[in-house]
Amino acid sequence: MSTSIVDRPRTSIWPAVSMAEALAAVTDSVQPIMTKCISTGVIRPGMILAEDVLSRVTIPAVPTSVKDGYAVISSEGIRDRVVIAASTAGAPASSIIVTSGTCARVSTGAAIPAGADAVIMVEHTHVVERTKTEELKIGFSQPAKPNQDIRPAGYDMQIGQLVLEKHCVIGSAEVGILVASGQRSVQVYRKPKVCVLSTGNELVDWMTEDVSEDRIRDTNRPQLMALLNACGFKAIDGGMVGDTREHLIESIKVAFKYSNVIVMSGGVSMGEKDLVKSVLEHEFNFKIHFGRVFMKPGLPSTFATGTYESNDTRYVFALPGNPVSSWVSCQLLAVPALRKMAGHANYFQTVIKVKLAESIDLDIRPEYRRAWYTQTLPQSDEYGPYAICTAIDQPSSTLLNTKGANLLLRLPPRASIPEGMLEKGAIVDALVIGAI
């Protein structure tokens, strides 16, 4: 397919959809990918359960003591009692029977002997009779209520109880629950692999020492790979691609040998070398769900799906070539999709309310402005939380305005605010993209 440059469209054939429409198209198209069975002994925080987990055991198996003290019959009040035995954690107590006028010394976690219905903590007792090494009779300063300081059988966990839900993100606490509930293995979602490509004849590898004036280092590829790896995905280096149909076709085919997901930057705008949409649509017969998103930065962001050499759905996020645009678009579009593929139930970024630390002139498009989170402002006692923009001007080509950003401010379009600007102290939504 070829056309003369003079015949190319002067306006985009792709309508600019809203961010809500774009996100709906993406998240409706993707589903969690394959699962695998993994031994509980090698499960790691960050893995995501692909099944509900039911307890295989009862914890505790028998009633146990909550405190170090003495197992007693509560109805006998504070009378002195003869110590007949000791029950310690991990030792059977089946041979011990507490009867009227007696008690059994118990440690935390020890089984409660038969006949006893309460525990009096050691701090509320005193020794009445003793040998050189052993207690014979104990006095009590406080009475006990029935079931006092006794943990019933099954209090913590019961056989068949749902202890962890499908889509649960494993953390250190969940590892403990899996082990305690007797799991030998569980089903988890596989982490998605994503192949990252950069397009453009002007690019040279980022490791190139001397770069001529007409070329630039490929920053998008290492930056996007770092972002995706930090989010817990497996980023694969798909290399640089020249601005020809042949190069694009071959590189996309190679990328699909390693992953069902491609994140690529460049080649999606209105230039004569911007061929990505055409290649996806006409050479791969992919469906382009949207070819532009009404946002700043990232207007030409594109999302396409289709099949290639199998029945598996393939996904392509074709992002703008400007480095800030590709970085922001990847955060907004690709990351939630990949999180859903990875099994996350909550796959969108957390949204918080923040106060603006400075006034902002609004753009004609909704804008995602890079910012830092802070609780207070310098020389101010007023509590925030505040958002400080990383730079006053934030052009899509200037990587420095992404430095240290842990928020993307979701700013409304100019037409929605009569003044066309937001004053300092205005409250806006912010997407959390880093530790705060």
Side-chain angles (χ1 to χ4, degrees), residues 43-49 168-172 175 189 191 232 342 344:
I43 200 162
R44 295 291 179 266
M47 293 180 175
I48 301 173
L49 288 176
C168 171
V169 181
I170 298 297
S172 56
V175 170
Y189 288 105
K191 291 184 178 181
H344 286 272

Side-chain angles (χ1 to χ4, degrees), residues 227-240:
L227 168 61
L228 296 170
N229 282 325
C231 292
F233 312 124
K234 298 177 181 178
I236 301 169
D237 189 347
M240 298 180 299

Side-chain angles (χ1 to χ4, degrees), residues 125-384:
T125 69
H126 58 275
V127 177
V128 176
E129 293 182 15
R130 55 169 291 179
T131 68
K132 289 185 177 180
T133 59
E134 190 56 76
E135 303 166 339
L136 299 178
K137 183 178 287 188
I138 294 295
F140 298 86
S141 59
Q142 291 188 14
K145 298 178 181 178
N147 301 313
Q148 175 178 297
D149 289 335
I150 290 179
R151 190 169 54 140
Y155 182 82
D156 295 344
M157 200 175 290
Q158 298 179 9
I159 289 178
Q161 179 183 347
L162 176 64
V163 292
L164 292 173
E165 295 82 7
K166 185 178 180 179
H167 300 294
C168 171
V169 181
I170 298 297
S172 56
E174 288 73 21
V175 170
I177 291 170
L178 287 172
V179 173
S181 63
Q183 310 304 318
R184 301 298 298 274
S185 62
V186 290
Q187 290 286 331
V188 298
Y189 288 105
R190 293 182 181 271
K191 291 184 178 181
K193 297 177 182 178
V194 52
C195 202
V196 181
L197 293 78
S198 291
T199 71
N201 292 336
E202 73 278 17
L203 300 178
V204 297
D205 190 79
W206 70 79
M207 295 297 290
T208 301
E209 185 68 27
D210 297 317
V211 182
S212 61
E213 293 180 353
D214 58 337
R215 308 294 288 276
I216 58 172
R217 288 187 178 88
D218 174 16
T219 56
N220 288 356
R221 192 161 38 106
Q223 179 177 247
L224 295 179
M225 289 179 64
L227 168 61
L228 296 170
N229 282 325
C231 292
F233 312 124
K234 298 177 181 178
I236 301 169
D237 189 347
M240 298 180 299
V241 187
D243 285 324
T244 68
R245 301 186 74 84
E246 295 73 23
H247 285 140
L248 285 169
I249 293 168
E250 182 59 28
S251 295
I252 292 171
K253 287 181 177 179
V254 171
F256 280 146
K257 294 182 182 296
Y258 298 95
S259 171
N260 284 343
V261 184
I262 294 175
V263 171
M264 57 195 307
S265 61
V268 290
S269 191
M270 293 287 293
E272 62 183 286
K273 297 294 186 181
D274 291 326
L275 305 172
V276 171
K277 291 177 178 133
S278 175
V279 166
L280 291 172
E281 189 174 32
H282 299 291
E283 307 297 341
F284 287 89
N285 198 29
F286 274 28
K287 175 182 177 181
I288 296 182
H289 297 263
F290 55 82
R292 291 197 307 161
V293 181
F294 193 61
M295 67 174 184
K296 178 185 179 182
L299 178 64
S301 297
T302 298
F303 174 62
T305 62
T307 59
Y308 175 73
E309 291 189 341
S310 75
N311 292 325
D312 295 337
T313 301
R314 314 278 192 156
Y315 308 91
V316 178
F317 296 88
L319 310 178
N322 272 327
V324 178
S325 297
S326 65
W327 186 76
V328 171
S329 300
C330 190
Q331 300 265 17
L332 296 175
L333 300 171
V335 169
L338 289 163
R339 282 175 56 84
K340 185 176 181 181
M341 291 180 198
H344 286 272
N346 300 314
Y347 37 83
F348 292 119
Q349 291 92 346
T350 299
V351 178
I352 62 173
K353 298 288 187 181
V354 293
K355 297 177 182 178
L356 296 180
E358 61 257 300
S359 298
I360 296 178
D361 290 323
L362 298 175
D363 190 78
I364 189 173
R365 290 172 281 164
E367 182 178 3
Y368 291 85
R369 185 166 285 223
R370 285 67 70 200
W372 299 305
Y373 175 94
T374 183
Q375 289 286 356
T376 58
L377 296 177
Q379 290 81 48
S380 173
D381 296 330
E382 186 177 353
Y383 177 79

Side-chain angles (χ1 to χ4, degrees), residues 62-72 83-98 103-114 116 119 134-135:
V62 296
T64 57
S65 177
V66 175
K67 296 176 180 175
D68 296 324
Y70 297 84
V72 301
V83 180
I84 59 172
S87 176
T88 58
S94 56
S95 62
I96 305 172
I97 301 177
V98 174
C103 66
R105 187 169 65 247
V106 292
S107 61
T108 302
I112 299 297
V119 171
E134 190 56 76
E135 303 166 339

